[in-house]
Amino acid sequence: MRPILLQGHERSLTQIKYTKDGDILFSCAKDQVICAWFSANGERLGTYHGHQGALWTVDIDPSTTLLASGAADNTVRLWDIRTGKCVKVWNFDTAVKRVDFNEDGTRLLAVTEKRMGFLGTIVVLDVIVDVEAEQSDEKALVITCDESKATVAAWSYLSRYIIAGHEDGSVSQYDGKTGELIYNSPAHEEGMQVTDLQMSSDRTYFITASKDKSAKLHSSRDLTLLKTYLSDTPLNTAAITPKKPFVILGGGQAAMDVTTTGARQGKFEARFYHKVFEDEIGRVKGHFGPLNTVAVDPLGRGYASGGEDGYVRVHAFDRGYFDFGYEVEREVGGAGAGGY
Amino acid sequence: MSKIANRPDWADDDEFDDPNALPPQTVTTNKDGTKTVISYRFDDSGKRIKTTRRIRTTIKKETVNPRVAERRAWSKFGLEKGHAAGPSFDTTSVGENIIFRPSVTWKKDGKEEKKVGDDPKEKLKNMKVKCRICDGEHFTARCPFKGTMAPMGEDGAGGAGAGATADGSDDGQPKEGGLGTGGGGYVPPHLRKGAAGAGERMGGKYERDDLATLRVTNVSEFAEENDLREIFERFGRVNRVFLAKDRETQRAKGFAFISFQERSDAAKACEKIDGYGYGHLILRVEFAKRAT
């Protein structure tokens, strides 16, 4: 496969995300601009200007009408995807590290940083999926994390729960309506931050990546640990591939440690693991720095990775990827693992 | 400027009925549905070239999600505002081809690959230490019989080699040790049995790998040893890089020597890097001639 290199950012990437149809890819970096790209040919559709600080996160509503972004300028902004205009700004006390739309795009959660005496919170905002509509200033729900701040969060199936990953390596489940803490389980090693949390396409299970060099698959309903994927480097991101039963992990040494070790030891590769058997099945090289974010095309045709080096690499899977299957899978399914 | 240039000059008018003018392109449709396009052009040396192309047009239907199709038609905004459709060269490029084939034995395959480029450390691991005096598994210097027993070779016990040579390597040169067996007096180390090769020649420690040393000339003035090392390291283990520098200005003098571990690597590098552009110059690589 020949990756498409996107050079729209001057600083390291923080998050990339596909639309639900997989046709547009959004990328945000610390350089205050969001870029929209056609994933098929790497053409840039446009850029979104307005943020005054490093961008940490983006998300797209399922109908590809609105784009939400969170940044270090303590705001969450809502954008008209088609024109690039900002339609709403919500102000917070601290930086916003993660935003996530629920399944129908009517609720948006935002994770705020713990800083300057403010505790980390998860805020839920009601959104009207219409560019013209007047969005409410009201915060529908505020969950305060007094133990360890949340670093990442996402909505579970039917918006029933909010799943959050914390700085101390634990994962917790909150009620989506009342904000009540239901479970908190120590998913990763104590004190090892959860760096990414991505839902499966039906949001019934999710994957977490952590600095403790492992990624784990949990069920959304009761946070049961389903699978563990071990690697040899701190992980920044993890994604679940649709169509094929794989997961993609990305990481590499922290940018600050890179100069103190050999260039070849960087481990700046995307690692593919089998979702069920937990074996590593391959790696994709390319980045010059650690991978900060990986996103998978919701239709399973490819994936994209964004690195500390400021590049986004968009890969379209080729035959070898789709043909691969374990012996057992072939015997049972006949057509590989089409059912996943 | 360009407008004037485009307008035909009155002085060139007669060129219009010039027999040298190119006939127009012709397109004919063939029976089997293909098209034949015949076009003419002048090549660099002024010759007329006729190009005949046969084109078959096939219509391939692709179903696209209507929402996706609609979005494809959106006009650009932000930094891309007003730009034409299609990827722009300053933001989008295509990377080199990556072969990605998931496999269950991925880890094992990777390790085997590493083994091929054998590590000298690995080689040493399998090597057995053998005492020259008592044939025991320790270094000669640590032998308990040191001083009380003569080395094995002395009384013609034969067979055994020295310190840390791989088995078999000393079978090739049994004669060398023979020199020392005669007198029983002092035998200089390089003449002792099994001191194969290493002590034979005098000179710097690099001399012996002359065979795997390349001479690189036409090196840029601003080259650094590390850059050269990087270029050559991809072919195999590089023992030494020597870049001649001016003593006063510290600039490169334009030539360098690269010593490889293996001659085969050197040969490969010689073949590949000869003619390689580096800095603004084209490198010339050849095997170094032995200094006599």
Side-chain angles (χ1 to χ4, degrees):
Chain A
M1 55 188 179
R2 255 179 196 285
I4 304 174
L5 274 69
L6 310 179
Q7 301 157 263
H9 296 286
E10 284 159 13
R11 293 196 56 200
S12 55
L13 271 290
T14 47
Q15 197 177 18
I16 51 178
K17 208 112 190 206
Y18 280 94
T19 60
K20 204 173 176 221
D21 298 314
D23 59 330
I24 305 179
L25 180 72
F26 292 89
S27 64
C28 68
K30 292 181 183 170
D31 62 0
Q32 316 184 355
V33 181
I34 307 166
C35 294
W37 314 83
F38 286 113
S39 61
N41 61 358
E43 176 182 352
R44 186 156 74 171
L45 170 63
T47 52
Y48 302 81
H49 296 263
H51 274 293
Q52 303 293 314
L55 270 150
W56 289 112
T57 172
V58 283
D59 199 20
I60 307 110
D61 91 290
S63 63
T64 320
T65 315
L66 292 171
L67 174 75
S69 62
D73 61 356
N74 305 351
T75 61
V76 167
R77 283 168 201 252
L78 215 54
W79 311 82
D80 176 4
I81 290 182
R82 180 174 184 160
T83 60
K85 287 199 185 78
C86 180
V87 296
K88 175 75 190 163
V89 181
W90 284 282
N91 282 297
F92 292 90
D93 295 323
T94 54
V96 180
K97 294 304 282 275
R98 186 56 73 110
V99 291
D100 192 50
F101 274 106
N102 69 345
E103 268 171 314
D104 58 0
T106 54
R107 311 190 93 192
L108 176 74
L109 68 76
V111 178
T112 65
E113 181 78 81
K114 174 185 176 180
R115 196 156 286 163
M116 300 183 295
F118 295 103
L119 285 171
T121 59
I122 302 170
V123 180
V124 177
L125 303 160
D126 282 323
V127 174
I128 305 160
V129 189
D130 185 4
V131 180
E132 305 292 329
E134 187 75 25
Q135 306 286 351
S136 153
D137 263 322
E138 203 79 3
K139 288 163 187 166
L141 184 67
V142 178
I143 303 166
T144 310
C145 311
D146 23 40
E147 283 217 358
S148 173
K149 73 168 186 204
T151 50
V152 286
W155 290 96
S156 80
Y157 58 95
L158 307 174
S159 315
R160 193 168 285 174
Y161 310 114
I162 293 171
I163 312 283
H166 295 270
E167 198 184 21
D168 65 356
S170 67
V171 172
S172 50
Q173 183 193 47
Y174 299 94
D175 188 289
K177 289 210 176 69
T178 64
E180 200 184 325
L181 178 68
I182 305 170
Y183 290 113
N184 179 292
S185 76
H188 290 276
E189 267 174 51
E190 182 77 36
M192 292 297 199
Q193 187 190 333
V194 178
T195 48
D196 198 8
L197 191 157
Q198 293 196 22
M199 285 284 168
S200 67
S201 47
D202 60 1
R203 299 193 186 230
T204 54
Y205 59 95
F206 60 93
I207 191 165
T208 56
S210 164
K211 291 275 173 215
D212 72 355
K213 305 182 177 180
S214 72
K216 291 179 182 185
L217 212 62
H218 312 259
S219 110
S220 299
R221 191 162 55 85
D222 49 8
L223 301 186
T224 319
L225 177 65
L226 303 173
K227 298 285 171 190
T228 304
Y229 312 99
L230 296 173
S231 81
D232 54 355
T233 177
L235 295 175
N236 293 332
T237 178
I240 303 166
T241 59
K243 296 266 158 67
K244 296 292 283 182
F246 304 146
V247 296
I248 308 174
L249 314 184
Q253 280 156 321
M256 57 185 295
D257 298 333
V258 168
T259 48
T260 59
T261 38
R264 312 247 164 90
Q265 306 289 316
K267 300 168 182 149
F268 308 137
E269 294 147 320
R271 296 127 191 276
F272 283 70
Y273 284 71
H274 196 281
K275 187 165 74 182
V276 181
F277 299 114
E278 304 178 343
D279 295 329
E280 186 166 359
I281 51 169
R283 288 186 186 180
V284 174
K285 275 193 245 178
H287 281 285
F288 303 114
L291 269 76
N292 286 344
T293 172
V294 165
V296 184
D297 180 350
L299 303 181
R301 295 169 298 191
Y303 84 99
S305 55
E308 188 73 21
D309 56 4
Y311 284 93
V312 177
R313 296 172 72 93
V314 186
H315 307 75
F317 294 129
D318 45 24
R319 254 204 94 167
Y321 170 87
F322 293 107
D323 288 349
F324 173 74
Y326 276 57
E327 205 83 348
V328 210
E329 290 175 284
R330 282 188 208 131
E331 277 166 22
V332 177
Y340 284 88
Chain B
M1 241 340 245
S2 64
K3 261 188 192 169
I4 297 165
N6 283 342
R7 199 189 300 154
D9 196 337
W10 58 271
D12 299 334
D13 252 354
D14 54 354
E15 269 211 282
F16 280 94
D17 353 284
D18 194 301
N20 285 337
L22 291 172
Q25 191 184 56
T26 56
V27 180
T28 46
T29 313
N30 304 332
K31 274 180 208 154
D32 58 348
T34 59
K35 272 184 189 168
T36 307
V37 179
I38 303 168
S39 55
Y40 300 88
R41 66 182 171 87
F42 287 113
D43 73 352
D44 295 340
S45 53
K47 279 185 186 156
R48 205 160 68 160
I49 306 283
K50 179 181 169 189
T51 319
T52 310
R53 279 176 295 187
R54 285 184 71 189
I55 299 167
R56 181 189 295 278
T57 322
T58 46
I59 295 166
K60 204 175 145 194
K61 274 197 184 153
E62 204 177 334
T63 320
V64 179
N65 185 333
R67 295 190 302 268
V68 173
E70 191 217 315
R71 288 199 282 266
R72 280 240 63 125
W74 282 0
S75 52
K76 295 184 171 183
F77 55 88
L79 287 177
E80 292 285 321
K81 193 172 182 164
H83 289 199
S88 117
F89 289 111
D90 42 324
T91 54
T92 309
S93 54
V94 177
E96 71 280 25
N97 199 16
I98 297 173
I99 296 163
F100 175 57
R101 226 161 264 289
S103 112
V104 186
T105 55
W106 176 83
K107 275 233 165 98
K108 236 189 273 162
D109 296 346
K111 266 184 198 145
E112 264 161 34
E113 246 171 57
K114 254 186 207 161
K115 254 183 204 160
V116 174
D118 47 0
D119 194 18
K121 266 188 191 165
E122 288 290 315
K123 265 191 200 164
L124 279 176
K125 262 186 197 162
N126 296 329
M127 217 161 260
K128 284 212 180 77
V129 174
K130 213 182 218 176
C131 175
R132 239 183 297 134
I133 298 171
C134 68
D135 223 356
E137 285 194 2
H138 51 252
F139 288 109
T140 312
R142 311 222 162 178
C143 183
F145 306 109
K146 199 167 107 181
T148 53
M149 256 168 85
M152 304 244 310
E154 301 265 303
D155 31 75
T165 37
D167 21 343
S169 75
D170 43 1
D171 291 351
Q173 307 131 324
K175 289 276 148 62
E176 270 172 276
L179 275 173
T181 55
Y186 173 75
V187 183
H190 71 277
L191 293 179
R192 279 181 203 156
K193 183 162 204 165
E200 274 178 8
R201 267 177 271 122
M202 296 282 283
K205 64 177 183 183
Y206 297 120
E207 202 148 287
R208 75 190 91 120
D209 46 28
D210 252 1
L211 277 177
T213 299
L214 297 178
R215 188 174 75 148
V216 185
T217 48
N218 205 24
V219 180
S220 154
E221 235 187 343
F222 303 101
E224 295 279 345
E225 274 190 12
N226 277 339
D227 302 341
L228 289 172
R229 185 175 280 274
E230 230 162 74
I231 292 173
F232 285 94
E233 234 166 15
R234 64 185 86 146
F235 298 98
R237 201 177 175 84
V238 173
N239 276 351
R240 177 188 70 132
V241 174
F242 172 77
L243 177 69
K245 280 187 183 157
D246 191 292
R247 205 171 293 170
E248 265 127 49
T249 63
Q250 286 303 314
R251 282 188 182 169
K253 274 182 166 176
F255 69 95
F257 290 100
I258 319 283
S259 302
F260 278 86
Q261 181 100 338
E262 304 289 340
R263 190 180 157 87
S264 57
D265 294 338
K268 217 185 324 161
C270 180
E271 187 187 319
K272 293 273 183 212
I273 297 294
D274 195 16
Y276 178 90
Y278 169 70
H280 48 282
L281 296 172
I282 291 169
L283 296 181
R284 168 145 180 71
V285 182
E286 58 205 338
F287 272 97
K289 280 163 206 122
R290 185 168 302 188
T292 40

